[in-house]
Amino acid sequence: MLNALVHTIPVAALPPSLGDNTGDLDRLKKALAPHLNGAIPVVPYHRLAKVAGRFRAAGFQGSAIINVLPGPPVLVDFLPQPVVILAGMALDLGTTHLEATLLDLGTGAILARADLENGQIRYGADILTRIHHAAKDEGLAELHRAIIDSVNQLAAELAGAAGLAVAEIRALSVSGNTSMVHFFLKINPYHLCREPYIPMVNAPDPCLAGELNLAIHPAAPVWLLPSVGSYFGGDLISGVLASGLDQQTETCMLIDVGTNAEVIVGNREWLIACAGAAGPALEGGVARMGMRAGPGAIEHVRIDPDSGEIRYETIGKGKPKGLCGSGLIDLVAELYLTRQIDIRGKFRPQADGDRLIPGSDGYQFVVVPGKDSADGQPVVLGQVDLDALMRSKAAMYAILTTLTNQVGVAFVDLHRIYVAGAFGRHISPRQAIVLGMLPDLPLATYEPVGNSSLAGAQRILLESAARQRCLELVKKITYIELNVNQEFMLRFSGSRFIPHTEHALFPSVPFFDGE
């Protein structure tokens, strides 16, 4: 029996006769049972007529389409010919962007990839604004339609790239934060941002695509990864699946930085997690020249300590448009190492030279002059941007220290730190250590795991063991609510210097006294 969320079973049943008056659907179910370990499949009411009619029209021979969901197998379709490609869509339901892959459920091969800006952005760039919008008349309906339209657009793009009709997509797995899942399912998110921060549902049962007005096959199962709390969603459960954190014998950590910083530490025996607002400045959501990690984004920066010359790399190797999170971290770390900013993250005019110019909100540091940029406008870093990064880096380190302190684990006890998302794919751990964002550990400790939210969703489509693991993980994880955690606030205050007020925590980072 296949492990995929949907699979086909060939059927060659004897036709009915005067001596065998078994009903068509009963006949089909009986023929399928030996292929399903003796289980009798169920047929949803709205598929009864279609399945029975197609079974008879095919002469009682062909291929049955089975959804493998909790409970008995679900029979949803019957086709006269074998399916050449049984396609499933894995979706990373991000706050700012959606990313998806189309998989061949028979082989696991990736047929197509695509990404798209989340259409909800017109109602608010951040989750909190959207939650407030949902409280307005028709607000929740607007947010729901926007995300469904975006998913349908993405599905059509994937199907077209694979040479399929969008209705040939037979399954969808969804990995997203708790708020996005509420919007996707048209569930009221009102209580997510209000103490005691309780979702309407953490583990929604699978539904069918037709119930959500999705453009894929109406009988396609939609499997949503469960969440643990309002600020700990299925995207982090996906990260655990993708990294294998829950199967490690030694204690490890997973960090996923997006709209929030979500962190989980543990091993196969125990897992503890928390989340906090440390992400926006890192993903381009705060800095004026900040942008998502895409073509034209500066992802790496070096400053020659003698000449002050700035060397940079852009994603796609084209002219720069702005700074993504890794480029911002690199730049500020280099500014500190060349003593152009002080331990508070403030510009030092006496050291910055001609690159420091006045702006409407204070000093701005010119990273790339307009003549060398993609749009003729200089790429700059303002003091306001620096202050935002200092808050984000302080929150990041405070989250990590608060979580490890809860279980009495020192950073040196961590066997591996998995770093997920674009943050993990592009970041230089060394530069993040210089800033005091990540603990001062050997660089080999850090392992990038890419878009683990999408990777986990892909495993849900293909592996029954992954589907079972994600349900068990929800029961296993202990979640700490940082919104009411005093220890976090104290640690946050102590982390708002480069690298930290306690320099002994970062022995490998130069300390410039008296600044």
Side-chain angles (χ1 to χ4, degrees), residues 343-422:
I343 61 174
R344 302 168 301 155
K346 303 297 183 183
F347 286 117
R348 301 179 66 236
Q350 69 273 30
D352 292 306
D354 295 338
R355 287 188 178 270
L356 198 64
I357 59 175
S360 58
D361 295 315
Y363 284 119
Q364 293 182 339
F365 184 88
V366 179
V367 185
V368 180
K371 63 182 179 64
D372 298 325
S373 71
D375 59 5
Q377 298 297 314
V379 177
V380 300
L381 176 74
Q383 185 61 63
V384 173
D385 305 326
L386 257 175
D387 294 342
L389 178 64
M390 292 295 289
R391 289 191 297 271
S392 286
K393 83 94 184 172
M396 183 75 186
Y397 192 74
I399 290 168
L400 302 183
T401 51
T402 301
L403 185 59
T404 52
N405 189 59
Q406 290 288 318
V407 289
V409 173
F411 287 132
V412 293
D413 297 327
L414 297 174
H415 173 68
R416 185 78 68 239
I417 297 179
Y418 303 103
V419 191

Side-chain angles (χ1 to χ4, degrees), residues 16-304:
S17 66
L18 290 175
D20 179 6
N21 64 351
T22 305
D24 290 351
L25 270 181
D26 305 296
R27 184 180 303 275
L28 177 53
K29 290 180 180 182
K30 185 178 179 180
L32 288 169
H35 301 276
L36 298 169
N37 294 328
I40 302 297
V42 298
V43 183
Y45 165 72
H46 62 280
R47 301 298 298 175
L48 280 172
K50 286 185 173 65
V51 175
R54 290 172 180 176
F55 181 47
R56 177 172 281 271
F60 307 99
Q61 298 188 31
S63 295
I65 307 293
I66 302 291
N67 293 349
V68 184
L69 301 173
V74 183
L75 170 61
V76 295
D77 210 351
F78 194 86
L79 304 175
Q81 302 295 331
V83 178
V84 177
I85 295 177
L86 192 65
M89 176 176 169
L91 173 65
D92 171 23
L93 189 70
T95 303
T96 55
H97 277 78
L98 311 182
E99 189 171 350
T101 52
L102 193 66
L103 304 181
D104 183 332
L105 298 180
T107 66
I110 295 177
L111 305 173
R113 297 177 182 270
D115 63 88
L116 181 72
E117 184 179 82
N118 188 330
Q120 291 182 337
I121 282 181
R122 64 180 177 271
Y123 300 110
D126 61 272
I127 285 293
L128 190 57
T129 303
R130 295 182 207 174
I131 290 175
H132 291 322
H133 183 80
K136 301 177 182 177
D137 291 341
E138 294 300 310
L140 180 57
E142 290 173 337
L143 288 162
H144 174 70
R145 282 194 298 270
I147 194 58
I148 294 298
D149 288 348
S150 293
V151 174
N152 284 341
Q153 184 178 340
L154 202 53
E157 183 177 343
L158 288 169
L164 301 172
V166 69
E168 291 182 86
I169 299 176
R170 289 278 183 169
L172 173 65
S173 60
V174 180
S175 174
N177 66 51
T178 309
S179 298
M180 284 306 307
V181 167
H182 277 55
F183 297 139
F184 182 75
L185 296 177
K186 201 178 178 181
I187 297 174
N188 187 356
Y190 179 85
H191 295 285
L192 293 177
C193 62
R194 292 168 174 86
E195 194 172 338
Y197 314 107
I198 305 300
M200 293 285 274
V201 61
N202 273 325
D205 295 316
C207 59
L208 297 182
E211 298 174 286
L212 293 171
N213 293 316
L214 290 166
I216 64 176
H217 195 282
V222 180
W223 183 294
L224 296 105
L225 279 102
S227 63
V228 177
S230 290
Y231 299 100
F232 189 116
D235 47 353
L236 195 52
I237 296 291
S238 274
V240 176
L241 291 178
S243 65
L245 178 63
D246 62 319
Q247 299 177 325
Q248 300 291 330
T249 56
E250 298 179 89
T251 301
C252 300
M253 176 183 281
L254 171 69
I255 302 172
D256 191 352
V257 180
T259 303
N260 289 317
E262 301 165 325
V263 185
I264 184 166
V265 63
N267 52 45
R268 66 186 183 188
E269 300 296 330
W270 57 271
L271 295 165
I272 187 168
C274 66
L282 308 182
E283 63 170 11
V286 171
R288 188 173 70 85
M289 299 299 298
M291 60 180 291
R292 188 170 177 260
I298 296 175
E299 62 172 335
H300 292 300
V301 178
R302 290 293 178 270
I303 300 178
D304 186 286

